[in-house]
Amino acid sequence: MWWHHLSTATAMGSVTSAGDMAAAEAERLCLTDLPGELLELILCCDVLGAADIGRVACTCRRLREACQPRGKVWRERFRLRWPSLLKYYSHSDSVSWLEEYKARHNAGLEAQRIVASFSKRFFSEHVPCDGFSDIETLGCPSHFFEDELMCILNMEGRKGLTWKYYAKKILYFLRQQNILKNLKEYLQRPADQQSFLEGAVLIDQYCNPLSDICLKSVQAQVDEITDKVRRVLRAKNARHPSVASKAGEILIPEVELQRQVLDAMNCVLYEQLKYKGNELDYYNSLNSYIHQVLIRRTGIPISLSVLYLTIARQLGVKLEPVNFPSHFLLRWCQGKEGSTDIFDYTYIDAFGKGKQLTVKECEYLIGHHVTEEFYGVVTSKEVLQRMVGNLLNLGKRESTDQSYQLLRDSLDLYLAMYPDNVQHLMLQARLYFHLGIWPEKVLDILQHIQALDPSQHGAVGYLVQHTLEHIERRKEEVGPEVKHRSDEKHKEVCFSIGLIMKHKRYGYNCVIYGWDPACMMGHEWIRNMNVHSLPHGPHQPFYNVLVEDGSCRYAAQENLEYNSEPREVPHPDIGRYFSEFTGTHYLANAELELRYPEDLELTCSTVQNIYSSGKE
């Protein structure tokens, strides 16, 4: 009944005859006669949209008041539409929910416009360093823009792949920019306000900007472990001062009471929760990320030390970080506080299940003698420097897209802390040059290096020359090369864009995103890949394929065959080239179809012939 009243009220704008107007007025009066709470409840119903509420508010004064901008009706409309955004508001805020609704709606339209433009603008190249300039000057709250990007990423089904691809890149950029800002603010604080745990979280967030990582959540997990330690401590010494105190409230002066805390910590961490150093997969980057350490209960010396130190300090035991070579340690003072004598300390190996070491045992741990300076305490910034240094070294170990991304992220972090470090600036310039991206930024970096250290003119000059050549070549490029299958020179090309294939020799699954009538690689590549050993050698069609392991390869036609059981190819660049997975093949997006305009018809007919005959 109420819905009939409301429908009539919202439709009053279309009533024409006097009789209809009178009937509608009677229906409206029935609705407005309802008690305020019931009327509000009806208007908050999820079957109504924002446009419905807007029309209702135009019908009469009573309904306009019920739908006032700061009231419950518009707040509920906002909550139903964008539930994740309510965390940005408190109940005490005086908010015009109607204006917030409009702002979020407009931010969504702007985000969609920018995402849609990226494929056309940047299909042929990596998104340039100034490619995000539109986003940096947004006229809307950034969390509204990010929320729309998340809505795009969470779209169900196998469509919208290109939108998801660029939404992910934009979100990656936005979050990293915000995290860098937070890191710089963190580094400007006094040393006693720089939590080691917060620093580790910032590094984790920057390298994993699309993951749901926040200090509050990580701290809650650490607090849970701390509570377990308290329970063990209570069972052994009910009067221990750490049992009753809250996190970080006290500092226990007695060494024996401190020892009881550390014993309880070792019991909980290494016996109950089974934390351990990851000796079998030491060079996995996950070992460096604090949220992964908590999930997987394993890590490397420095990440486990940050966790161990944080718990100890919350229980009143002051441990300090020691930048020991090859194996990060903690130290625990056994003598006068602040002593400079390295023998006044016991050293703790969080990687080795909290084992307590003497100076001599520390040297046994790494197999050689070190000077006293390596037993000294280090600052939170130096701890972060070592964590980032570990990630840098991991990024250098392999030549994969994932490693390059890790190297880029860790260089960003290092240079945020030490912006004038010539060695790392040069590494960043070489990396961008090697990847063929951001040549204008490479020139800026090289100019900065030259100003900092003129002795680098030889290396700088070489890179400047070749970067300028790269820029000139890019200017000379004309429009995209279009390949028509009907051309006589392409008559030997059997496969088409979007087909899911299998490599005959290596067995990997892949999807075709490009082809050449013959091998277009240089002589060195052809020799290294032993192409001449193939029956047809380099004089056969070759295909650019995205492989399920995340790699991109160039495969000879004779080595490929149709995949009898096609499935999605989990490649990070799939959305760069394709807009949809149909279940049997991929559909090229507008930019790829422009380059291979006659492939779609062949792909569809090929798929129909293969899979329809397989069902018969």
Side-chain angles (χ1 to χ4, degrees), residues 44-91:
C44 288
C45 180
D46 59 6
V47 299
L48 296 176
D52 296 322
I53 300 301
R55 287 192 291 268
V56 166
C58 293
T59 56
C60 71
R61 183 175 179 179
R62 173 80 195 285
L63 292 177
R64 184 167 61 252
E65 290 174 350
C67 300
Q68 58 101 359
R70 297 180 183 275
K72 183 178 178 181
V73 172
W74 275 110
R75 183 185 188 281
E76 184 64 9
R77 191 60 37 216
F78 188 90
R79 183 192 71 80
L80 289 170
R81 183 71 179 82
W82 302 292
S84 63
L85 290 176
L86 283 188
K87 64 186 177 186
Y88 294 100
Y89 306 91
S90 69
H91 288 290

Side-chain angles (χ1 to χ4, degrees), residues 69-255:
R70 297 180 183 275
K72 183 178 178 181
V73 172
W74 275 110
R75 183 185 188 281
E76 184 64 9
R77 191 60 37 216
F78 188 90
R79 183 192 71 80
L80 289 170
R81 183 71 179 82
W82 302 292
S84 63
L85 290 176
L86 283 188
K87 64 186 177 186
Y88 294 100
Y89 306 91
S90 69
H91 288 290
S92 60
D93 290 341
S94 178
V95 177
S96 172
W97 293 104
L98 173 57
E99 292 306 312
E100 292 297 285
Y101 192 101
K102 290 178 180 177
R104 171 60 184 84
H105 175 74
N106 290 334
L109 295 177
E110 181 68 2
Q112 292 174 24
R113 181 192 68 78
I114 291 175
V115 170
S117 73
F118 263 53
S119 183
K120 184 175 183 179
R121 292 161 62 194
F122 307 127
F123 178 82
S124 299
E125 60 174 332
H126 188 279
V127 179
C129 50
D130 61 352
F132 298 103
S133 56
D134 290 352
I135 301 161
E136 293 177 305
T137 56
L138 283 174
C140 63
S142 61
H143 59 281
F144 282 0
F145 193 86
E146 282 194 25
D147 188 66
E148 183 62 29
L149 295 176
M150 287 302 301
C151 289
I152 293 172
L153 287 173
N154 293 330
M155 286 191 302
E156 295 183 4
R158 299 160 170 176
K159 297 183 178 182
L161 299 181
T162 299
W163 272 48
K164 291 177 182 179
Y165 175 78
Y166 287 105
K168 186 175 180 179
K169 283 193 172 298
I170 296 169
L171 188 60
Y172 203 99
F173 168 81
L174 280 175
R175 290 191 173 174
Q176 283 196 328
Q177 291 300 106
N178 191 48
I179 296 160
L180 270 187
K181 178 183 175 183
N182 294 339
L183 175 63
K184 290 174 182 177
E185 290 175 355
Y186 167 91
L187 293 170
Q188 289 172 356
R189 295 182 209 157
D192 60 350
Q193 295 179 24
Q194 293 178 342
S195 152
F196 293 100
L197 185 67
E198 183 179 357
V201 168
L202 286 167
I203 289 173
D204 193 347
Q205 289 175 325
Y206 192 81
C207 294
N208 304 283
L210 301 183
S211 299
D212 187 15
I213 305 163
C214 67
L215 178 60
K216 184 178 179 181
S217 172
V218 171
Q219 184 65 63
Q221 293 176 71
V222 174
D223 291 345
E224 189 177 334
I225 298 172
T226 305
D227 289 340
K228 290 180 188 293
V229 176
R230 281 200 181 94
R231 288 195 287 271
V232 171
L233 202 55
R234 185 182 294 113
K236 295 182 178 180
N237 182 0
R239 301 180 65 182
H240 195 287
S242 295
V243 170
S245 62
K246 293 184 179 178
E249 275 189 352
I250 63 165
L251 195 61
I252 302 168
E254 297 87 351
V255 171

Side-chain angles (χ1 to χ4, degrees), residues 25 91 152 188 231 319 332 371-372 432 477 535 579 601:
E25 178 67 12
H91 288 290
I152 293 172
Q188 289 172 356
R231 288 195 287 271
L319 300 182
W332 170 33
T371 56
E372 288 192 7
Y432 291 162
E477 290 177 359
S579 60
E601 183 179 354

Side-chain angles (χ1 to χ4, degrees), residues 335-553:
K336 183 180 178 181
E337 185 177 352
S339 170
T340 57
D341 186 346
I342 65 173
F343 295 97
D344 282 344
Y345 294 88
T346 292
Y347 299 87
I348 296 175
D349 180 12
F351 187 82
K353 299 187 177 181
K355 186 177 180 181
Q356 296 172 11
L357 308 170
T358 64
V359 169
K360 185 59 67 176
E361 287 171 329
C362 291
E363 294 181 350
Y364 289 151
L365 188 66
I366 60 172
H368 60 86
H369 172 73
V370 296
T371 56
E372 288 192 7
E373 64 181 299
F374 291 104
Y375 291 91
V377 67
V378 289
T379 65
S380 56
K381 184 177 181 179
E382 290 169 318
V383 171
L384 297 193
Q385 178 186 349
R386 180 146 172 181
M387 296 183 83
V388 172
N390 288 336
L391 292 170
L392 267 169
N393 290 330
L394 291 178
K396 295 176 185 177
R397 287 175 66 86
E398 297 178 16
S399 298
T400 64
D401 289 345
Q402 188 176 4
S403 294
Y404 288 139
Q405 185 63 58
L406 179 59
L407 191 53
R408 288 172 58 189
D409 291 342
S410 48
L411 278 170
D412 288 344
L413 289 167
Y414 196 98
L415 291 169
M417 294 187 283
Y418 303 97
D420 294 334
N421 185 286
V422 171
Q423 178 186 355
H424 289 84
L425 283 168
M426 183 62 79
L427 178 58
Q428 187 178 58
R430 290 184 184 279
L431 175 64
Y432 291 162
F433 177 78
H434 172 73
L435 296 176
I437 62 174
W438 298 357
E440 291 81 8
K441 186 169 184 178
V442 171
L443 292 178
D444 289 341
I445 297 169
L446 294 172
Q447 185 177 9
H448 185 43
I449 293 171
Q450 187 65 35
L452 291 170
D453 184 2
S455 69
Q456 297 287 332
H457 64 88
V460 168
Y462 174 85
L463 285 174
V464 166
Q465 178 186 343
H466 285 81
T467 301
L468 289 173
E469 290 174 359
H470 172 72
I471 293 173
E472 287 303 313
R473 284 196 302 270
R474 193 175 62 178
K475 288 179 181 178
E476 293 171 2
E477 290 177 359
V478 291
E481 180 186 3
V482 179
K483 296 180 178 179
H484 293 90
R485 306 191 67 83
S486 54
D487 284 359
E488 179 65 20
K489 61 182 178 181
H490 298 152
K491 65 180 181 180
E492 300 298 326
V493 179
C494 296
F495 308 133
S496 52
I497 300 298
L499 287 176
I500 303 205
M501 312 296 289
K502 188 169 186 175
H503 197 280
K504 295 178 182 179
R505 180 178 300 179
Y506 301 122
Y508 60 71
N509 296 307
C510 59
V511 56
I512 297 172
Y513 71 95
W515 49 257
D516 296 309
C519 182
M520 302 298 290
M521 302 298 280
H523 295 298
E524 185 177 353
W525 185 91
I526 290 174
R527 183 176 64 254
N528 291 339
M529 299 303 293
N530 203 23
V531 173
H532 285 293
S533 67
L534 296 172
H536 296 92
H539 307 295
Q540 61 175 310
F542 270 69
Y543 298 83
N544 301 104
V545 294
L546 301 177
V547 184
E548 57 190 345
D549 65 1
S551 63
C552 302
R553 305 192 189 184

